[in-house]
């Protein structure tokens, strides 16, 4: 019973590592109930002395009953017994939880589906730990399912796991190991033979001293695992004492954050609509505050390319890189002083008007030279006040219409699309922009189609796009969504048309108070497309409807308003926007009829997409091959250990024969027979054969008792497996050879040992069932014997050292007297 309680406690402590993934504590209490239900089911099965498999089924059934009572009592029989209706209810909740887990960033908002998903995971781990540690008495492998509870937050959040959570889980696992060891040691009895005892050759093992030594070793291991990575530079991103310096001089780190878009809907639908930040600015018409620039669309969602951060990217005391492509458009400087609310958490990117040129902020903040995103490897924007000087571009519609071709690297990076974009979407992009004479006019037609003419409805109840098919549904079927769908769809269609595009995320300008201060709330969170035009750089468009029927505080830039487009449209006699400009720019190639990309960009865009696909495919293949190789290596380890032990056993016996001065026998034609010694050490070969027989019996699940004599062991094997004929005779010859090797002056001839072993091995395989036979072949249990022997030798060495230390202490005390 004690081991059952400790196993449940270890599972509970390990589950605490999941706390960063969920809001609230309901999941934890529900998980505790699942652990108790599994422990109670397992204890009941053991009380009834059920087989191991049946005990695991009882524990699983207890978990199912608990989930039914907690989440589907209305559909259950007497609110307890599962029914098809209750199972369907649980399946629906699990589906909802899985969808919410993919939609939101951690911490995921509370809900029945999310809670059920977490409870089922914790309960499953509890069943596995109970099976391994309590039923099978294999406490060490029980650490694998416990480790799985840590791998989930590490994989999702991509942040360091709390050392407190790790220490608690490690303490639970160590308690499980110590409890299992104590119960097994307790079965040994008190007096045991010792090699370093007194005159009678016996010594007593002090269980308390061994337990204390185990505790000290376990605590030391946990302390080292927690302290060393936190203090050594290069292991922890900064080190506990900040010795890492955020990357170190000359070093670089890859910047990773949770998916920027998955929490957008949660911000928009937050009931409290809390204040995120306030700011003052000298811009009479402030622009949006940008957090992220998402330049990668992989067919699943938009995200940003990995950022390589170095100390040279720090923003302190320097002018930031110039915005890409901003060469000819009119600009003016804007100063904004931002104060982020104290309750904002995990904001490691600074909201700032594009394009920032100088930033005054405390902490280690850095800038990505390409996108001009401002981020930190260790600091949080919550509660900070900082100043940003930005370069505000004001291009005209004419400048955008006359923009020249973008640079090759811009086209290659910002025209990439997955190869599975459906043809109806590609045709739709051509149809919506039919008749456009420039890429600017194509962008305006797309914006107008989304905001007014396409029949789209702004709806916060729409699911976040999880893949190309969701955007296809938004474009062709439902036409309902919020800013994420509008921005993602317009950016995708712009790339189809050959316009470099990306998705930006941040906040609209908010609302201005009587004191001139601007207030930005959670519902001002927004996503919008940014399109690239040579001379103006990255400029934003606004396809999302504004006002009461859309994003309340969204605004359309001056250059993207229909009046600006009409005002700069060439009149009769004026040069076409596609003609060369007065600055001597080269003529922009016209869009090919029926094509989705301009002549100068299509090849580059398609090549970039193909390169991406090939690169991702290569990585996928390499990853699967490496994973498969590791799995095969893991599966082959017991078999390899078994073969190696067998080879070493016979080699030692033959070496002993050779060392005795007598050569091995020669077969027909003078060939050396390694399995037969003509007059060699027959006793060593008999011992090797008997050890091989013992290992083979263990592999096939045959009961082997170390206290039996060779003849008793042979008789027990014969009776348990019902052996007959040649197998019985071969087994008897092996037993006689071992007896004579132990007790007789002249050992038995070793000529038939290998053949007898082969006969008995075949008899073992024929007598057991198919699973046992394959287990003996692929995962022989005797392969663990060498590890156990090593452990026994280590314990014996520690015992000897302790006795020597105790004897020396006694001598010193005698000298003092």
């Amino acid at each position: 019973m004690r081991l059952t309680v400790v196993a449940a406690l270890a599972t509970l402590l390990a589950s605490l590592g999941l706390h960063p993934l969920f809001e609230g504590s309901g999941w934890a209490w529900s998980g505790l109930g699942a652990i108790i239900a599994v422990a109670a089911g397992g204890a009941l099965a053991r009380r009834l002395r059920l087989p191991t498999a049946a005990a695991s089924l009882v524990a699983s059934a207890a978990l199912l009953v608990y989930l039914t009572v907690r989440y589907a009592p209305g559909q259950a029989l007497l609110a307890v017994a599962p029914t098809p209706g209750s199972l369907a209810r649980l399946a629906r909740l699990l589906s909802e939880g899985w969808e919410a887990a993919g939609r939101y960033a951690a911490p995921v908002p509370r809900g029945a589906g999310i809670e059920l998903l977490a409870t089922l995971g914790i309960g499953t781990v509890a069943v596995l730990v109970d099976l391994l540690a309590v039923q099978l008495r294999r406490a060490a492998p029980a650490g694998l399912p416990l480790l799985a509870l840590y791998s989930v937050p590490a994989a999702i959040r991509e942040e360091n796991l709390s050392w407190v959570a790790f220490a608690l889980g490690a303490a639970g696992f160590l308690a499980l190991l110590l409890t299992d060891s104590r119960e097994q040691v307790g079965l040994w009895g008190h007096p045991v033979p010792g090699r370093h005892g007194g005159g009678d050759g016996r010594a007593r093992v002090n269980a308390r001293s061994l337990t204390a030594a185990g505790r000290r070793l376990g605590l030391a291991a946990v302390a080292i695992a927690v302290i060393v990575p936190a203090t050594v530079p290069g292991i922890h991103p900064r080190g506990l004492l900040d010795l890492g310096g955020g990357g170190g001089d000359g070093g670089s780190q890859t910047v990773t954050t949770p998916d920027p878009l998955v929490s957008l809907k949660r911000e928009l639908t937050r009931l409290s609509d809390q204040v995120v930040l306030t700011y003052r600015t000298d811009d009479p018409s402030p622009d949006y505050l940008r957090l992220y620039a998402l330049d990668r669309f992989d067919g699943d969602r938009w995200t940003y390319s990995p950022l390589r951060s170095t100390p040279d990217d720090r923003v302190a005391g320097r002018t930031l890189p110039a915005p890409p492509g901003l060469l000819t458009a009119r600009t003016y400087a804007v100063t904004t002083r931002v104060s982020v609310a104290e309750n904002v958490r995990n904001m490691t990117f600074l909201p700032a008007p594009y394009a920032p040129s100088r930033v005054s902020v405390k902490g280690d903040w850095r800038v990505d030279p390409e996108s001009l995103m401002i981020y930190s490897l260790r600091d949080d924007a919550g509660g900070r006040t900082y100043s940003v000087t930005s370069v505000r571009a004001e291009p005209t519609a004419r400048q955008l219409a006359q923009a020249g071709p973008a640079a090759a690297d811009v086209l290659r990076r910002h025209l990439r699309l997955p190869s599975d974009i459906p043809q109806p979407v590609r045709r739709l992009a051509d149809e919506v922009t039919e008749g456009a004479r420039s890429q600017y006019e194509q962008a305006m037609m797309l914006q107008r189609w989304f905001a007014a003419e396409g029949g789209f409805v702004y709806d916060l109840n729409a699911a976040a796009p999880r893949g190309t098919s969701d955007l296809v549904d938004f474009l062709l079927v439902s036409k309902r969504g919020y800013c994420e769908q509008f921005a993602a769809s317009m950016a995708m269609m712009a790339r189809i048309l050959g316009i470099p595009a990306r998705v930006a995320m941040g906040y609209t300008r908010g609302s201005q108070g009587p004191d001139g201060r601007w207030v930005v709330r959670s519902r001002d969170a927004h996503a919008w497309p940014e399109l690239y035009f040579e001379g103006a750089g990255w400029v934003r468009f606004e396809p999302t409807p504004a006002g009461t029927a859309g994003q309340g505080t969204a605004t359309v830039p001056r250059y993207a308003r229909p009046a600006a487009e009409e005002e700069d449209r060439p009149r009769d006699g004026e040069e076409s926007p596609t003609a060369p400009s007065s600055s001597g720019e080269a003529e922009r190639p016209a869009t090919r009829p029926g094509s989705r990309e301009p002549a100068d960009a299509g090849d580059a865009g398609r090549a970039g997409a193909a390169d991406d696909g090939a690169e991702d495919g290569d990585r996928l293949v390499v990853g699967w091959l490496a994973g498969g190789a590791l799995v095969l290596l893991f599966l082959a380890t017991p078999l390899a250990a078994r073969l190696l032990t067998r080879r070493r056993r016979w080699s030692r016996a033959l070496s002993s024969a050779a060392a005795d001065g007598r050569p091995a026998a020669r077969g027909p034609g003078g060939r050396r027979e390694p399995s037969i010694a003509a007059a060699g050490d027959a006793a060593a070969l008999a011992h090797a054969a008997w050890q091989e027989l013992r290992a083979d019996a263990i592999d096939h699940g045959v009961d082997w008792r170390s206290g039996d004599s060779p003849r008793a062991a042979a008789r027990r094997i014969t009776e348990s497996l019902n052996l007959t004929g040649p197998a019985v005779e071969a087994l008897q010859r092996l037993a006689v050879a071992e007896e004579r090797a132990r007790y007789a002056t002249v050992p038995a001839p070793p000529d038939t040992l290998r053949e007898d072993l082969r006969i008995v091995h075949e008899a073992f395989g024929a007598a057991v069932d198919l699973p046992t036979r394959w287990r003996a072949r692929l995962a022989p249990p005797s392969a663990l014997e060498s590890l156990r022997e090593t452990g026994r030798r280590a314990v014996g060495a520690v015992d000897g050292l302790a006795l020597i230390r105790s004897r020396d202490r006694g001598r010193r005390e005698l000298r003092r007297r």
Side-chain angles (χ1 to χ4, degrees), residues 136 550 699:
L136 301 178
D699 292 340

Side-chain angles (χ1 to χ4, degrees), residues 111-141:
I114 287 292
E115 189 175 292
L116 173 59
L117 194 65
T119 304
L120 179 60
I122 295 173
T124 302
V125 171
V127 171
L128 294 175
V129 172
D130 185 81
L131 170 64
L132 294 171
V134 186
Q135 297 285 349
L136 301 178
R137 303 304 297 268
R138 297 291 187 267

